[in-house]
Amino acid sequence: MEKGKIQVTVEDIFPVIKKFLYSDNEIFIRELVSNATDAILKLKTLINLGKINKKIDDLIIEIVIDKENKILKIIDNGIGMTKKEVKKYINQIAFSGAEEFLRKYKDKNNEYIIGNFGLGFYSSFMVSDKVEIISKSYKDSEDAIHWICDGTTNFSIQNIATPITGSGTEIILHINDSSKEFLEENKIKELLIKYCKFMPIPIKLGEREVNNPYPIWKKNPRNVKDEEYINFYKELYPLQIADPLFWIHLNIDHPFNLTGVLFFPKMKNQIEIQRDKIQLYKNQVYVTDNLEGIVPDFLNLLKGVIDSPDIPLNVSRSYLQSESSVKQISGYITRKVAEKLENMCKNNREYFEKNWEDIKIIIEYGMISDSNFYSKAKKFALYPDINNQYFLLEEYIKKANKFKNNNNKIICFYTSNIENQNSYIETIKNKGYIILLLDSPIVGHLLQKIEMDYKNLNFFRVDSDQIDKILKNKKNIYNLSKEEIKILENLLKQNIDNHKFLIKIEDLSDFSLPFIITVPEFIRRMKEISMTGNNMFNSNSKYNLIVNKNHKLIKKIINEKDLKTKKNLIKNSLHLIMLSQNLLTGKELTDFIYNSFEMLSK
């Protein structure tokens, strides 16, 4: 038996690799199964090259649990290792056997090999007191070997007569007392499904195969039926009840390799933390669902899989390294999503409109967060009106072009809630305006972006302060005298909270309400933006209280002789309009309800 020390650069670096290289000890199962996968894929390459006579269909990885003896085995019938190779690839840690193999058989259809056997193997010491390797090389002239290490830099290695038929490797983990959970079949199955679910070699646990070696993202999209995509979506996210709306099959081989499928789920108006995120794979090996940098923030609202051998990872494959290739991949994904949406809008407008409410939050989020996506989204982003008619922005501009203000800018009115803002909608609709329905929580951000891009547009919510400008009456119906207006001003100042309202007496249409509450558009929009997480604005600004001097109630208030009745008319009118805008709360609301019942009882 030969003994020695594992060759590391510094004596104390081994415990660092053993304990801290991987952020989570469960990663060991991914690394060891990945190594087994590499070994089998190497053998497949040699079989395909005619160097070995063996059936590819027989190649498999087995996981064996011996709970009584606290042993976990990972067994493959791959290429195996000679004594010399074990010394090289195991004892000289961080030397990548897969990298050397790739150099030797470059361009020989071995793109699946994921490599870094040395470092990946040592993750096994995070859960083991002792690790053994029994391996037989595919080379008939080589003896099988037995390697043992107890978690220090000391090891032993010897030739043995192995029971292994043919070639392959058996990793034997003697699980330590603090890691007994990894001797439970359900736990191992859970980890295999999490990390190895789509590895390209069959994985057997007990009597069952636990993985899908041929996921649809590796197939030609022309050969995949819709139901296969839906079934795959449910395989990825078993707890998702609703089917995806549609999907994008990614497939590129230049200037980098990337495949995958992205699904559009039903989102409505909610931006929420996604439990079921996009999963990142590297050659069918699960890496992470934290795709910062790989996928733009707004596309993290999607679901699905991205797989690329060209995504740079750190040595433990735990997180992404920042490189220019990552930006390239991110740009490609953004472009493909935009192309899919544009084609849908152009070629199947009816279907696109039907699903707009479920995807708009993703598109609008993308428009405000990604300038490249914004420039493309102008071709397919929709703007519905209150009559359920959908417009592209250019289509809407043509319709609204006749409604301009004194600065020759097109006035664009919108509502965020048809029910709550109905009184404003009716008033503005009677003037012939097209009123858009823009009700997502980030619409304030989006309108800021559009107005910066389209200098000829001004967006106003129907309850904004611009309503008094467009509803002005050319003719003063009641012809209030200067003295009557003065009386009205004094009455309003005495009976309305000047800290809450800025009072404006205007010539509005006679069919408008006697009192209208509005908020300056800019201030209201900044408040909404702040509510979505951007605390750039904090204002305690007043509401505008517009008094329509052309309404008969205003004339009645002025002419009323009884001072108490005058005050009650003003107070009740104000409370009614405040109630309609959800501004009447607390004692004011209680008093209003009580007084209303008193009046009904008389």
Side-chain angles (χ1 to χ4, degrees):
M1 179 188 295
E2 182 179 342
K3 295 184 178 182
K5 285 187 177 291
I6 295 169
Q7 296 177 28
V8 293
T9 306
V10 183
E11 181 71 19
D12 62 355
I13 200 173
F14 182 80
V16 175
I17 293 172
K18 173 182 166 185
K19 297 289 185 184
F20 304 117
L21 180 63
Y22 296 91
S23 58
D24 194 335
N25 63 354
E26 69 182 28
I27 292 295
F28 84 92
I29 197 74
R30 180 191 71 184
E31 294 302 308
L32 296 182
V33 174
S34 295
N35 291 339
T37 299
D38 284 350
I40 290 176
L41 290 172
K42 288 177 182 178
L43 189 66
K44 285 180 71 173
T45 299
L46 296 176
I47 293 171
N48 290 331
L49 292 173
K51 296 183 178 294
I52 300 176
N53 184 20
K54 193 171 185 177
K55 290 183 179 180
I56 289 179
D57 292 343
D58 294 336
L59 302 179
I60 193 170
I61 299 168
E62 291 187 74
I63 314 296
V64 178
I65 300 172
D66 181 352
K67 191 172 182 179
E68 183 178 351
N69 294 305
K70 297 194 295 184
I71 286 175
L72 178 67
K73 297 180 181 180
I74 294 89
I75 305 167
D76 70 72
N77 54 0
I79 197 170
M81 290 181 287
T82 65
K83 187 175 184 180
K84 183 178 180 181
E85 287 169 338
V86 169
K87 288 181 179 180
K88 183 176 182 179
Y89 300 141
I90 300 299
N91 298 344
Q92 297 179 17
I93 59 175
F95 189 96
S96 175
E99 287 182 4
E100 180 180 324
F101 188 84
L102 283 173
R103 285 195 297 270
K104 185 174 180 181
Y105 295 105
K106 189 178 181 181
D107 302 323
K108 303 294 186 190
N109 191 31
N110 42 40
E111 71 274 8
Y112 286 111
I113 298 169
I114 57 180
N116 291 335
F117 183 91
L119 280 179
F121 166 74
Y122 277 93
S123 66
S124 58
F125 286 99
M126 298 175 75
V127 299
S128 307
D129 289 326
K130 182 172 71 173
V131 178
E132 301 178 61
I133 300 174
I134 297 174
S135 191
K136 172 68 176 70
S137 171
Y138 75 98
K139 299 173 183 177
D140 293 335
S141 60
E142 295 287 345
D143 291 333
I145 61 93
H146 186 193
W147 179 94
I148 304 174
C149 180
D150 62 359
T152 68
T153 55
N154 298 311
F155 72 90
S156 65
I157 186 171
Q158 62 180 331
N159 295 341
I160 60 169
T162 177
I164 295 177
T165 302
S167 63
T169 298
E170 183 175 323
I171 307 294
I172 304 167
L173 308 183
H174 296 262
I175 302 297
N176 58 41
D177 289 338
S178 61
S179 304
K180 288 181 179 179
E181 61 180 315
F182 300 115
L183 293 169
E184 301 294 335
E185 184 171 322
N186 286 340
K187 180 64 176 179
I188 296 299
K189 182 180 178 182
E190 173 192 322
L191 296 180
L192 290 172
I193 290 173
K194 178 178 179 179
Y195 293 109
C196 311
K197 189 172 186 177
F198 300 109
M199 280 190 177
I201 301 299
I203 302 170
K204 187 178 179 183
L205 175 64
E207 298 300 318
R208 295 181 59 188
E209 184 178 330
V210 295
N211 65 322
N212 173 8
Y214 307 104
I216 62 170
W217 79 76
K218 304 300 292 187
K219 300 178 182 179
N220 187 325
R222 295 177 182 174
N223 301 329
V224 184
K225 298 177 180 179
D226 287 356
E227 55 265 33
E228 292 181 79
Y229 284 111
I230 294 172
N231 290 337
F232 177 68
Y233 179 78
K234 292 178 178 178
E235 183 180 0
L236 282 176
Y237 311 110
L239 298 180
Q240 286 289 324
I241 298 173
D243 290 345
L245 297 172
F246 49 87
W247 45 85
I248 300 170
H249 197 131
L250 305 169
N251 194 345
I252 185 174
D253 55 15
H254 182 78
F256 48 81
N257 291 292
L258 183 143
T259 55
V261 180
L262 296 179
F263 295 93
F264 276 74
K266 290 186 175 183
M267 288 291 297
K268 291 297 181 186
N269 271 345
Q270 298 178 351
I271 296 181
E272 56 187 18
I273 297 174
Q274 295 296 299
R275 179 181 58 189
D276 296 328
K277 299 179 181 179
I278 297 173
Q279 300 174 11
L280 174 65
Y281 289 75
K282 187 162 184 173
N283 289 326
Q284 295 177 238
V285 179
Y286 175 81
V287 176
T288 182
D289 62 3
N290 180 9
L291 271 67
E292 183 178 352
I294 290 291
V295 173
D297 286 346
F298 73 98
L299 290 183
N300 275 315
L301 298 173
L302 303 183
K303 302 183 189 302
V305 166
I306 292 172
D307 188 346
S308 174
D310 296 329
I311 293 176
L313 305 175
N314 70 327
V315 291
S316 65
R317 289 187 282 206
S318 300
Y319 57 84
L320 307 176
Q321 291 180 335
S322 179
E323 291 189 9
S324 58
S325 59
V326 172
K327 292 183 178 179
Q328 274 191 308
I329 292 170
S330 177
Y332 165 77
I333 294 169
T334 301
R335 187 174 73 252
K336 293 301 290 184
V337 169
E339 288 174 358
K340 172 74 173 183
L341 294 169
E342 183 181 351
N343 287 335
M344 285 183 64
C345 182
K346 183 178 179 181
N347 300 321
N348 196 348
R349 177 74 173 260
E350 183 179 353
Y351 180 79
F352 194 65
E353 291 180 1
K354 179 182 176 182
N355 289 291
W356 177 253
E357 291 302 310
D358 288 308
I359 63 172
K360 68 181 181 184
I361 197 72
I362 299 172
I363 295 171
E364 291 175 355
Y365 184 18
M367 292 175 73
I368 64 177
S369 63
D370 189 305
S371 56
N372 289 330
F373 184 79
Y374 171 81
S375 63
K376 294 176 174 63
K378 289 191 289 187
K379 298 178 182 178
F380 55 78
L382 295 178
Y383 302 85
D385 69 5
I386 57 175
N387 298 315
N388 208 32
Q389 184 175 356
Y390 289 82
F391 302 94
L392 296 172
L393 189 56
E394 292 295 338
E395 295 170 348
Y396 169 74
I397 290 173
K398 289 180 182 178
K399 290 274 188 179
N401 193 51
K402 59 184 178 180
F403 301 109
K404 294 184 178 180
N405 60 19
N406 295 333
N407 296 323
N408 204 35
K409 289 190 174 184
I410 299 172
I411 299 174
C412 310
F413 277 108
Y414 72 97
T415 177
S416 60
N417 190 306
I418 293 177
E419 296 298 322
N420 291 348
Q421 297 157 12
N422 184 261
S423 60
Y424 299 105
I425 291 171
E426 291 300 317
T427 302
I428 294 173
K429 190 168 67 173
N430 288 331
K431 288 287 187 177
Y433 284 86
I434 300 171
I435 302 173
L436 299 177
L437 174 58
L438 306 177
D439 58 359
S440 77
I442 57 174
V443 71
H445 295 270
L446 178 59
L447 297 182
Q448 293 289 107
K449 183 93 172 179
I450 293 173
E451 286 175 340
M452 290 177 64
D453 188 26
Y454 291 80
K455 305 297 185 185
N456 63 328
L457 299 183
N458 269 158
F459 283 88
F460 302 103
R461 206 168 77 176
V462 292
D463 57 350
S464 78
D465 58 339
Q466 293 297 307
I467 194 170
D468 61 320
K469 294 179 175 60
I470 68 161
L471 300 181
K472 279 180 181 268
N473 218 34
K474 293 181 179 179
K475 184 167 86 172
N476 189 331
I477 298 173
Y478 287 110
N479 291 315
L480 296 181
S481 66
K482 290 182 179 180
E483 183 181 351
E484 287 177 315
I485 292 176
K486 191 68 176 175
I487 292 171
L488 178 61
E489 287 176 344
N490 289 332
L491 280 169
L492 295 172
K493 287 178 182 178
Q494 292 167 12
N495 294 282
I496 293 176
D497 185 356
N498 292 318
H499 296 291
K500 184 178 289 187
F501 296 105
L502 181 63
I503 301 168
K504 301 165 71 176
I505 300 173
E506 298 286 355
D507 275 318
L508 303 186
S509 303
D510 57 337
F511 53 77
S512 297
L513 296 173
F515 292 88
I516 300 174
I517 294 174
T518 66
V519 181
E521 176 67 18
F522 174 76
I523 292 174
R524 182 197 54 72
R525 199 183 293 178
M526 289 300 102
K527 282 185 176 181
E528 288 180 352
I529 289 173
S530 296
M531 289 174 65
T532 60
N534 186 341
N535 295 321
M536 59 180 283
F537 188 84
N538 184 17
S539 172
N540 295 316
S541 59
K542 299 178 181 180
Y543 290 95
N544 293 324
L545 179 63
I546 302 168
V547 181
N548 180 11
K549 67 181 183 179
N550 287 319
H551 197 282
K552 59 185 177 182
L553 178 60
I554 303 302
K555 186 71 172 178
K556 179 179 179 181
I557 291 171
I558 294 172
N559 293 335
E560 177 58 51
K561 302 299 182 185
D562 183 67
L563 184 59
K564 184 178 180 181
T565 304
K566 277 181 182 287
K567 290 182 177 180
N568 284 336
L569 284 171
I570 293 173
K571 185 178 180 180
N572 289 335
S573 298
L574 178 62
H575 283 172
L576 275 172
I577 198 66
M578 289 176 66
L579 184 66
S580 71
Q581 299 305 308
N582 295 320
L583 296 176
L584 195 63
T585 58
K587 190 175 185 304
E588 280 188 310
L589 177 59
T590 303
D591 290 345
F592 174 74
I593 295 171
Y594 178 81
N595 292 333
S596 297
F597 279 121
E598 280 293 307
M599 291 176 62
L600 289 171
S601 300
K602 290 180 180 179

